Amino acid sequence: MAQSFNVTDPATGDVIQKVTYDSEEDIKQALKRGHEAFKEWSRVNAHERSRLLKKWSQKIQENKQDIAEVMTRENGKPLKESLGEVDYATSYIDWYAEEAKRVYGRTIPANTESKRIIVTKQPVGLVAAITPWNFPAAMMTRKAAPALAAGCTFVVKPAVETPLTTIRFIELAHESGIPEDVVQCVNQRGSVAGDIFTDSEYVRKITFTGSTPVGKSLIKNSADTVKHVTMELGGHAPLIVAEDANIDYAVRQAIATKFRNAGQTCVCANRLIVHESIVDEFSQKFASEVSKLKVGNGLEEGTDIGPIINKKGYDKIVEQVEDALDKGAEALVGNKYEVNDDKGSYFVYPTVLKNVDEGMSIMHEETFGPIAPIISYKQVEEAIEIANNTPFGLAAYFFTNDYRKGTFLSENLDYGIVGWNDGGPSAAHAPFGGMKESGLGREGGLEGIEPYLETKYLSIGGF
Ligand code: SIN
């Protein structure tokens, strides 16, 4: 008998739906079908692929409210954030529906009259994607849209915590006219699906958003068949506030970037590094605004902070907070929890920690929760040293109105995404991705379609 798993609401612990696991054989068959469908799909002209992508985006928008409710139920994020994520997700489809028509090659002047040199771009083939629970819609379309636009076929395995949004998106893709074998969804545990994907001779590219350890193992396992890989991995974003910054503005932006999705994003500001001359004023204003955030079920009006996805996530947060408090940090607000272990629901109140130092685990391990540690610095060089003192390099933020300091910071922060007086740089039209152990490759923007393309050099002789 086919095995299934429960998708539960992290706010209540209630089972929302049972989903059947695809067997190993089912997944292998899906990959085979995706591989076979590639021959035809890669020949569909770019304008037609663009038209189908636009239709998909439109269908998702027509179902926006229902999708957002499903997303809030399975992920826990406030409904306003789920509605925002539906828009964010379709913005990738819209962007790549246009980019499909702009996959240009080039001609190169030859060094002899007898030759012509032409460079063309071709889709890499079947793409297998593994997507995370924290953005079940946008992380999927950020991969599927450029893949389909380029002419690749696509199989996605969503997170077992949040498969329902993805399943709905794929149904809507089929209703829009994208053939069933061109875009498919399979449900399985990550490790099982990951091994099948990396072992498969049909898969030419693996794209993954998730933890750095899993990303490393996918990279290793892709080596045997030399697959293309795009990896969006962990982050530990610093947010620097310089002495000249507009403090009220920096507080608002820091709240937006820190507490989105209850702090469960890879680009969340995880270390607030504030100049010593303003650290007291900043901390007091920040804590006062944080205390106004409403914690609760994401479906309730006015909720700002939903539940933590599961017990494992909750335990890690508590561990980091306790370690910091034991070592001398002070909680200005928060450090409060509402837990129902029997049902499996975990709420963490947004917490601001002051007097943090680099000896605390929260300064080195990725935080996936609504905890904001504040550390002070004296010189800008010291702020950069603290910021770069991590194996991660995804997003960094800083606040200053001094253009020399800003330029110095932007040039010296080892991060793929840098927000200068901007706590929300993510956008479909810009390249998202990290340096160091935060990943390989970029998603979004002009750069985001390149990883789905091969370059072919054609040399024609005999003229
Ligand atoms: C992430 O947390 O991985 C994605 C966040 C974003 O796209 O802004």
Side-chain angles (χ1 to χ4, degrees):
M1 208 181 79
Q3 289 193 322
S4 59
F5 60 101
N6 291 336
V7 182
T8 55
D9 181 338
T12 60
D14 294 342
V15 175
I16 312 168
Q17 200 175 308
K18 269 192 186 314
V19 173
T20 306
Y21 277 124
D22 289 290
S23 69
E24 294 193 18
E25 192 45 39
D26 293 338
I27 298 175
K28 287 180 185 164
Q29 285 305 320
L31 297 179
K32 186 160 186 275
R33 289 195 302 276
H35 169 71
E36 281 163 5
F38 175 71
K39 292 184 198 81
E40 212 169 308
W41 178 250
S42 57
R43 289 193 197 114
V44 171
N45 77 72
H47 289 254
E48 176 62 6
R49 291 201 301 266
S50 170
R51 189 187 67 76
L52 291 168
L53 283 168
K54 284 181 187 167
K55 198 143 173 238
W56 185 23
S57 167
Q58 192 188 328
K59 279 215 175 278
I60 294 168
Q61 283 294 334
E62 283 164 10
N63 290 274
K64 180 171 168 177
Q65 188 68 28
D66 291 351
I67 291 170
E69 281 170 21
V70 168
M71 201 191 304
T72 289
R73 290 207 68 202
E74 64 178 353
N75 167 284
K77 65 177 70 180
L79 187 60
K80 62 187 173 194
E81 289 194 28
S82 295
L83 289 164
E85 190 182 335
V86 175
D87 289 342
Y88 186 38
T90 55
S91 72
Y92 283 100
I93 305 179
D94 297 341
W95 174 262
Y96 286 108
E98 294 304 324
E99 286 303 290
K101 297 178 276 183
R102 298 192 181 96
V103 175
Y104 302 131
R106 71 190 204 278
T107 59
I108 298 175
N111 59 352
T112 157
E113 292 73 24
S114 68
K115 284 193 180 187
R116 302 290 181 273
I117 297 175
I118 299 170
V119 179
T120 56
K121 298 281 184 178
Q122 294 186 352
V124 295
L126 173 64
V127 175
I130 301 179
T131 53
W133 52 263
N134 63 342
F135 288 90
M139 297 306 101
M140 197 276 285
T141 59
R142 186 146 95 181
K143 297 169 183 3
L148 299 176
C152 298
T153 47
F154 187 82
V155 175
V156 59
K157 192 222 77 77
V160 287
E161 292 85 352
T162 58
L164 305 178
T165 306
T166 305
I167 291 170
R168 187 69 190 122
F169 268 46
I170 302 300
E171 283 167 4
L172 292 169
H174 298 155
E175 284 174 30
S176 311
I178 301 174
E180 293 207 355
D181 293 343
V182 167
V183 57
Q184 303 177 74
C185 173
V186 293
N187 287 292
Q188 207 6 295
R189 289 183 193 90
S191 56
V192 177
D195 284 350
I196 299 171
F197 288 173
T198 51
D199 284 351
S200 170
E201 60 185 308
Y202 298 129
V203 174
R204 287 309 314 140
K205 178 178 173 69
I206 302 274
T207 173
F208 170 68
T209 297
S211 75
T212 295
V214 173
K216 285 181 184 176
S217 106
L218 289 168
I219 296 169
K220 278 188 198 137
N221 296 344
S222 295
D224 282 343
T225 45
V226 193
K227 297 188 199 311
H228 296 255
V229 289
T230 295
M231 295 285 145
E232 297 294 353
L233 309 178
H236 200 27
L239 184 148
I240 298 168
V241 187
E243 59 273 44
D244 67 282
N246 176 333
I247 294 181
D248 293 336
Y249 177 76
V251 164
R252 285 198 300 279
Q253 293 283 310
I255 286 181
T257 171
K258 173 66 248 181
F259 297 107
R260 177 176 171 221
N261 201 10
Q264 302 172 108
T265 87
C266 304
V267 291
C268 269
N270 273 344
R271 297 169 292 150
L272 276 54
I273 306 165
V274 184
H275 192 266
E276 60 172 3
S277 64
I278 55 160
V279 71
D280 287 339
E281 183 185 352
F282 177 88
S283 306
Q284 176 260 313
K285 286 183 166 169
F286 184 66
S288 153
E289 288 306 309
V290 169
S291 67
K292 296 177 191 159
L293 297 173
K294 187 170 167 245
V295 178
N297 186 321
L299 289 176
E300 281 162 19
E301 185 73 33
T303 296
D304 299 302
I305 308 281
I308 298 304
I309 191 74
N310 55 29
K311 179 165 167 55
K312 193 169 162 223
Y314 164 79
D315 284 345
K316 168 113 191 270
I317 293 166
V318 174
E319 220 176 274
Q320 287 189 341
V321 172
E322 281 179 359
D323 173 75
L325 293 175
D326 284 349
K327 291 177 179 160
E330 179 195 347
L332 295 182
V333 60
N335 186 25
K336 188 174 149 197
Y337 308 93
E338 233 172 79
V339 171
N340 187 334
D341 254 326
D342 293 337
K343 295 215 87 179
S345 79
Y346 303 90
F347 289 89
V348 174
Y349 280 71
T351 300
V352 178
L353 297 174
K354 218 188 143 192
N355 300 335
V356 166
D357 65 49
E358 287 218 88
M360 300 170 183
S361 65
I362 200 158
M363 289 298 286
H364 299 287
E365 293 166 11
E366 182 174 24
T367 307
F368 238 55
I371 314 297
I374 301 177
I375 186 168
S376 66
Y377 74 92
K378 287 184 174 53
Q379 304 292 336
V380 68
E381 290 79 4
E382 189 196 348
I384 290 170
E385 209 177 295
I386 297 171
N388 286 343
N389 186 16
T390 167
F392 297 113
L394 185 56
Y397 310 88
F398 62 80
F399 291 83
T400 178
N401 291 318
D402 174 338
Y403 80 94
R404 284 180 196 277
K405 197 178 289 158
T407 306
F408 184 70
L409 280 159
S410 68
E411 287 173 357
N412 285 285
L413 287 167
D414 298 334
Y415 286 84
I417 305 163
V418 177
W420 178 349
N421 290 340
D422 183 9
S426 304
H429 42 272
F432 183 107
M435 296 181 180
K436 294 159 57 180
E437 294 190 19
S438 283
L440 286 174
R442 295 293 181 267
E443 294 185 319
L446 259 186
E447 290 82 356
I449 197 164
E450 275 297 322
Y452 297 92
L453 297 165
E454 292 277 15
T455 297
K456 185 176 276 178
Y457 154 44
L458 173 65
S459 180
I460 312 172
F463 286 94

mmCIF file of all heavy atoms in Angstrom, residues 21-48:
data_model
loop_
_atom_site.group_PDB
_atom_site.id
_atom_site.type_symbol
_atom_site.label_atom_id
_atom_site.label_comp_id
_atom_site.label_asym_id
_atom_site.label_seq_id
_atom_site.Cartn_x
_atom_site.Cartn_y
_atom_site.Cartn_z
ATOM 1 N N TYR A 21 3.161 9.606 -0.594
ATOM 2 C CA TYR A 21 4.560 9.613 -1.051
ATOM 3 C C TYR A 21 4.626 8.968 -2.428
ATOM 4 O O TYR A 21 4.016 7.915 -2.658
ATOM 5 C CB TYR A 21 5.428 8.755 -0.123
ATOM 6 C CG TYR A 21 5.907 9.430 1.131
ATOM 7 C CD1 TYR A 21 5.646 8.876 2.385
ATOM 8 C CD2 TYR A 21 6.667 10.600 1.072
ATOM 9 C CE1 TYR A 21 6.119 9.478 3.548
ATOM 10 C CE2 TYR A 21 7.129 11.209 2.234
ATOM 11 C CZ TYR A 21 6.853 10.645 3.465
ATOM 12 O OH TYR A 21 7.313 11.235 4.595
ATOM 13 N N ASP A 22 5.388 9.551 -3.307
ATOM 14 C CA ASP A 22 5.689 8.873 -4.563
ATOM 15 C C ASP A 22 6.781 7.842 -4.278
ATOM 16 O O ASP A 22 7.753 8.154 -3.566
ATOM 17 C CB ASP A 22 6.182 9.890 -5.607
ATOM 18 C CG ASP A 22 5.042 10.784 -6.070
ATOM 19 O OD1 ASP A 22 4.161 10.271 -6.770
ATOM 20 O OD2 ASP A 22 5.024 11.968 -5.694
ATOM 21 N N SER A 23 6.618 6.640 -4.814
ATOM 22 C CA SER A 23 7.631 5.611 -4.578
ATOM 23 C C SER A 23 8.888 5.948 -5.391
ATOM 24 O O SER A 23 8.852 6.796 -6.290
ATOM 25 C CB SER A 23 7.094 4.244 -5.017
ATOM 26 O OG SER A 23 6.980 4.238 -6.429
ATOM 27 N N GLU A 24 9.972 5.230 -5.079
ATOM 28 C CA GLU A 24 11.214 5.458 -5.838
ATOM 29 C C GLU A 24 10.971 5.223 -7.326
ATOM 30 O O GLU A 24 11.461 5.963 -8.176
ATOM 31 C CB GLU A 24 12.315 4.531 -5.317
ATOM 32 C CG GLU A 24 12.696 4.884 -3.894
ATOM 33 C CD GLU A 24 13.979 4.227 -3.425
ATOM 34 O OE1 GLU A 24 14.774 3.758 -4.264
ATOM 35 O OE2 GLU A 24 14.172 4.184 -2.195
ATOM 36 N N GLU A 25 10.183 4.166 -7.627
ATOM 37 C CA GLU A 25 9.902 3.844 -9.024
ATOM 38 C C GLU A 25 9.084 4.975 -9.674
ATOM 39 O O GLU A 25 9.345 5.358 -10.813
ATOM 40 C CB GLU A 25 9.167 2.493 -9.090
ATOM 41 C CG GLU A 25 9.049 1.884 -10.473
ATOM 42 C CD GLU A 25 10.343 1.923 -11.296
ATOM 43 O OE1 GLU A 25 11.435 1.716 -10.746
ATOM 44 O OE2 GLU A 25 10.238 2.184 -12.523
ATOM 45 N N ASP A 26 8.092 5.513 -8.919
ATOM 46 C CA ASP A 26 7.287 6.635 -9.457
ATOM 47 C C ASP A 26 8.195 7.810 -9.827
ATOM 48 O O ASP A 26 8.009 8.458 -10.863
ATOM 49 C CB ASP A 26 6.292 7.166 -8.401
ATOM 50 C CG ASP A 26 5.206 6.174 -8.042
ATOM 51 O OD1 ASP A 26 4.952 5.267 -8.856
ATOM 52 O OD2 ASP A 26 4.626 6.310 -6.938
ATOM 53 N N ILE A 27 9.140 8.090 -8.943
ATOM 54 C CA ILE A 27 10.010 9.262 -9.186
ATOM 55 C C ILE A 27 10.897 9.008 -10.404
ATOM 56 O O ILE A 27 11.066 9.888 -11.262
ATOM 57 C CB ILE A 27 10.847 9.593 -7.925
ATOM 58 C CG1 ILE A 27 9.898 9.948 -6.776
ATOM 59 C CG2 ILE A 27 11.813 10.742 -8.195
ATOM 60 C CD1 ILE A 27 10.570 10.188 -5.438
ATOM 61 N N LYS A 28 11.423 7.795 -10.481
ATOM 62 C CA LYS A 28 12.270 7.471 -11.648
ATOM 63 C C LYS A 28 11.471 7.585 -12.942
ATOM 64 O O LYS A 28 11.972 8.072 -13.962
ATOM 65 C CB LYS A 28 12.851 6.054 -11.504
ATOM 66 C CG LYS A 28 13.945 6.001 -10.457
ATOM 67 C CD LYS A 28 14.516 4.611 -10.325
ATOM 68 C CE LYS A 28 15.525 4.582 -9.164
ATOM 69 N NZ LYS A 28 15.830 3.232 -8.728
ATOM 70 N N GLN A 29 10.219 7.144 -12.893
ATOM 71 C CA GLN A 29 9.362 7.247 -14.089
ATOM 72 C C GLN A 29 9.087 8.721 -14.431
ATOM 73 O O GLN A 29 9.062 9.104 -15.598
ATOM 74 C CB GLN A 29 8.024 6.513 -13.865
ATOM 75 C CG GLN A 29 8.128 4.997 -13.922
ATOM 76 C CD GLN A 29 8.744 4.489 -15.226
ATOM 77 O OE1 GLN A 29 8.463 5.001 -16.313
ATOM 78 N NE2 GLN A 29 9.615 3.493 -15.118
ATOM 79 N N ALA A 30 8.885 9.543 -13.393
ATOM 80 C CA ALA A 30 8.649 10.978 -13.637
ATOM 81 C C ALA A 30 9.868 11.604 -14.312
ATOM 82 O O ALA A 30 9.738 12.414 -15.243
ATOM 83 C CB ALA A 30 8.344 11.690 -12.313
ATOM 84 N N LEU A 31 11.049 11.194 -13.860
ATOM 85 C CA LEU A 31 12.275 11.738 -14.470
ATOM 86 C C LEU A 31 12.392 11.285 -15.930
ATOM 87 O O LEU A 31 12.766 12.071 -16.813
ATOM 88 C CB LEU A 31 13.510 11.296 -13.676
ATOM 89 C CG LEU A 31 13.594 11.798 -12.222
ATOM 90 C CD1 LEU A 31 14.855 11.265 -11.541
ATOM 91 C CD2 LEU A 31 13.576 13.325 -12.142
ATOM 92 N N LYS A 32 12.021 10.029 -16.171
ATOM 93 C CA LYS A 32 12.100 9.508 -17.548
ATOM 94 C C LYS A 32 11.137 10.291 -18.447
ATOM 95 O O LYS A 32 11.492 10.708 -19.557
ATOM 96 C CB LYS A 32 11.744 8.014 -17.527
ATOM 97 C CG LYS A 32 11.922 7.305 -18.837
ATOM 98 C CD LYS A 32 12.033 5.787 -18.588
ATOM 99 C CE LYS A 32 12.361 5.042 -19.855
ATOM 100 N NZ LYS A 32 11.189 4.716 -20.648
ATOM 101 N N ARG A 33 9.931 10.523 -17.924
ATOM 102 C CA ARG A 33 8.942 11.273 -18.730
ATOM 103 C C ARG A 33 9.432 12.710 -18.975
ATOM 104 O O ARG A 33 9.284 13.248 -20.070
ATOM 105 C CB ARG A 33 7.572 11.305 -18.026
ATOM 106 C CG ARG A 33 6.850 9.963 -18.020
ATOM 107 C CD ARG A 33 5.374 10.155 -17.656
ATOM 108 N NE ARG A 33 5.198 10.797 -16.359
ATOM 109 C CZ ARG A 33 5.203 10.155 -15.186
ATOM 110 N NH1 ARG A 33 5.367 8.854 -15.144
ATOM 111 N NH2 ARG A 33 5.029 10.828 -14.045
ATOM 112 N N GLY A 34 10.007 13.299 -17.937
ATOM 113 C CA GLY A 34 10.533 14.665 -18.086
ATOM 114 C C GLY A 34 11.626 14.720 -19.134
ATOM 115 O O GLY A 34 11.712 15.648 -19.940
ATOM 116 N N HIS A 35 12.477 13.691 -19.112
ATOM 117 C CA HIS A 35 13.575 13.617 -20.075
ATOM 118 C C HIS A 35 13.019 13.482 -21.504
ATOM 119 O O HIS A 35 13.471 14.157 -22.439
ATOM 120 C CB HIS A 35 14.453 12.412 -19.722
ATOM 121 C CG HIS A 35 15.451 12.050 -20.763
ATOM 122 N ND1 HIS A 35 16.556 12.825 -21.033
ATOM 123 C CD2 HIS A 35 15.505 10.987 -21.622
ATOM 124 C CE1 HIS A 35 17.240 12.265 -22.004
ATOM 125 N NE2 HIS A 35 16.635 11.154 -22.385
ATOM 126 N N GLU A 36 12.006 12.618 -21.647
ATOM 127 C CA GLU A 36 11.441 12.406 -22.998
ATOM 128 C C GLU A 36 10.700 13.660 -23.484
ATOM 129 O O GLU A 36 10.762 14.015 -24.663
ATOM 130 C CB GLU A 36 10.512 11.193 -23.000
ATOM 131 C CG GLU A 36 11.348 9.914 -23.065
ATOM 132 C CD GLU A 36 10.585 8.666 -22.660
ATOM 133 O OE1 GLU A 36 9.369 8.759 -22.404
ATOM 134 O OE2 GLU A 36 11.238 7.599 -22.577
ATOM 135 N N ALA A 37 10.030 14.338 -22.563
ATOM 136 C CA ALA A 37 9.276 15.548 -22.950
ATOM 137 C C ALA A 37 10.200 16.685 -23.369
ATOM 138 O O ALA A 37 9.787 17.608 -24.085
ATOM 139 C CB ALA A 37 8.395 16.004 -21.779
ATOM 140 N N PHE A 38 11.445 16.614 -22.908
ATOM 141 C CA PHE A 38 12.406 17.681 -23.233
ATOM 142 C C PHE A 38 12.580 17.855 -24.739
ATOM 143 O O PHE A 38 12.678 18.981 -25.241
ATOM 144 C CB PHE A 38 13.758 17.379 -22.564
ATOM 145 C CG PHE A 38 14.837 18.349 -22.944
ATOM 146 C CD1 PHE A 38 14.825 19.658 -22.475
ATOM 147 C CD2 PHE A 38 15.881 17.969 -23.792
ATOM 148 C CE1 PHE A 38 15.820 20.561 -22.841
ATOM 149 C CE2 PHE A 38 16.870 18.866 -24.156
ATOM 150 C CZ PHE A 38 16.843 20.165 -23.676
ATOM 151 N N LYS A 39 12.570 16.726 -25.473
ATOM 152 C CA LYS A 39 12.827 16.800 -26.930
ATOM 153 C C LYS A 39 11.841 17.765 -27.572
ATOM 154 O O LYS A 39 12.213 18.606 -28.376
ATOM 155 C CB LYS A 39 12.702 15.410 -27.569
ATOM 156 C CG LYS A 39 13.786 14.457 -27.140
ATOM 157 C CD LYS A 39 13.681 13.125 -27.863
ATOM 158 C CE LYS A 39 14.474 12.050 -27.141
ATOM 159 N NZ LYS A 39 13.773 11.446 -25.988
ATOM 160 N N GLU A 40 10.569 17.619 -27.194
ATOM 161 C CA GLU A 40 9.538 18.448 -27.826
ATOM 162 C C GLU A 40 9.507 19.872 -27.248
ATOM 163 O O GLU A 40 9.462 20.856 -27.971
ATOM 164 C CB GLU A 40 8.179 17.789 -27.631
ATOM 165 C CG GLU A 40 7.258 18.064 -28.803
ATOM 166 C CD GLU A 40 6.023 17.198 -28.723
ATOM 167 O OE1 GLU A 40 6.161 15.962 -28.583
ATOM 168 O OE2 GLU A 40 4.932 17.780 -28.762
ATOM 169 N N TRP A 41 9.554 19.955 -25.908
ATOM 170 C CA TRP A 41 9.422 21.256 -25.251
ATOM 171 C C TRP A 41 10.575 22.196 -25.645
ATOM 172 O O TRP A 41 10.381 23.394 -25.853
ATOM 173 C CB TRP A 41 9.386 21.066 -23.726
ATOM 174 C CG TRP A 41 9.295 22.334 -22.948
ATOM 175 C CD1 TRP A 41 10.263 22.889 -22.171
ATOM 176 C CD2 TRP A 41 8.166 23.228 -22.853
ATOM 177 N NE1 TRP A 41 9.827 24.062 -21.596
ATOM 178 C CE2 TRP A 41 8.532 24.284 -22.012
ATOM 179 C CE3 TRP A 41 6.885 23.228 -23.414
ATOM 180 C CZ2 TRP A 41 7.676 25.339 -21.707
ATOM 181 C CZ3 TRP A 41 6.030 24.286 -23.097
ATOM 182 C CH2 TRP A 41 6.426 25.310 -22.263
ATOM 183 N N SER A 42 11.770 21.639 -25.775
ATOM 184 C CA SER A 42 12.915 22.498 -26.099
ATOM 185 C C SER A 42 12.789 23.071 -27.512
ATOM 186 O O SER A 42 13.445 24.053 -27.847
ATOM 187 C CB SER A 42 14.223 21.714 -25.958
ATOM 188 O OG SER A 42 14.181 20.573 -26.784
ATOM 189 N N ARG A 43 11.908 22.444 -28.344
ATOM 190 C CA ARG A 43 11.722 22.957 -29.707
ATOM 191 C C ARG A 43 10.536 23.906 -29.814
ATOM 192 O O ARG A 43 10.335 24.528 -30.853
ATOM 193 C CB ARG A 43 11.539 21.797 -30.683
ATOM 194 C CG ARG A 43 12.833 21.037 -30.873
ATOM 195 C CD ARG A 43 12.779 20.084 -32.048
ATOM 196 N NE ARG A 43 13.879 19.143 -31.908
ATOM 197 C CZ ARG A 43 13.749 17.849 -31.685
ATOM 198 N NH1 ARG A 43 12.550 17.305 -31.611
ATOM 199 N NH2 ARG A 43 14.805 17.085 -31.549
ATOM 200 N N VAL A 44 9.725 23.979 -28.760
ATOM 201 C CA VAL A 44 8.605 24.944 -28.782
ATOM 202 C C VAL A 44 9.220 26.344 -28.838
ATOM 203 O O VAL A 44 10.167 26.630 -28.096
ATOM 204 C CB VAL A 44 7.738 24.792 -27.502
ATOM 205 C CG1 VAL A 44 6.715 25.906 -27.390
ATOM 206 C CG2 VAL A 44 7.058 23.426 -27.484
ATOM 207 N N ASN A 45 8.695 27.198 -29.729
ATOM 208 C CA ASN A 45 9.378 28.486 -29.866
ATOM 209 C C ASN A 45 9.218 29.343 -28.614
ATOM 210 O O ASN A 45 8.257 29.214 -27.847
ATOM 211 C CB ASN A 45 8.948 29.207 -31.144
ATOM 212 C CG ASN A 45 7.587 29.844 -31.004
ATOM 213 O OD1 ASN A 45 7.427 30.841 -30.304
ATOM 214 N ND2 ASN A 45 6.576 29.252 -31.648
ATOM 215 N N ALA A 46 10.187 30.228 -28.423
ATOM 216 C CA ALA A 46 10.281 31.000 -27.175
ATOM 217 C C ALA A 46 9.040 31.853 -26.936
ATOM 218 O O ALA A 46 8.627 32.052 -25.788
ATOM 219 C CB ALA A 46 11.526 31.869 -27.219
ATOM 220 N N HIS A 47 8.419 32.357 -27.998
ATOM 221 C CA HIS A 47 7.225 33.207 -27.821
ATOM 222 C C HIS A 47 6.058 32.386 -27.282
ATOM 223 O O HIS A 47 5.275 32.868 -26.466
ATOM 224 C CB HIS A 47 6.867 33.904 -29.141
ATOM 225 C CG HIS A 47 7.869 34.960 -29.493
ATOM 226 N ND1 HIS A 47 7.613 36.308 -29.381
ATOM 227 C CD2 HIS A 47 9.154 34.852 -29.928
ATOM 228 C CE1 HIS A 47 8.693 36.992 -29.730
ATOM 229 N NE2 HIS A 47 9.628 36.129 -30.074
ATOM 230 N N GLU A 48 5.970 31.140 -27.723
ATOM 231 C CA GLU A 48 4.909 30.268 -27.224
ATOM 232 C C GLU A 48 5.179 29.889 -25.764
ATOM 233 O O GLU A 48 4.269 29.884 -24.930
ATOM 234 C CB GLU A 48 4.822 29.021 -28.122
ATOM 235 C CG GLU A 48 3.829 27.958 -27.684
ATOM 236 C CD GLU A 48 2.365 28.427 -27.643
ATOM 237 O OE1 GLU A 48 2.062 29.556 -28.053
ATOM 238 O OE2 GLU A 48 1.540 27.624 -27.154
#
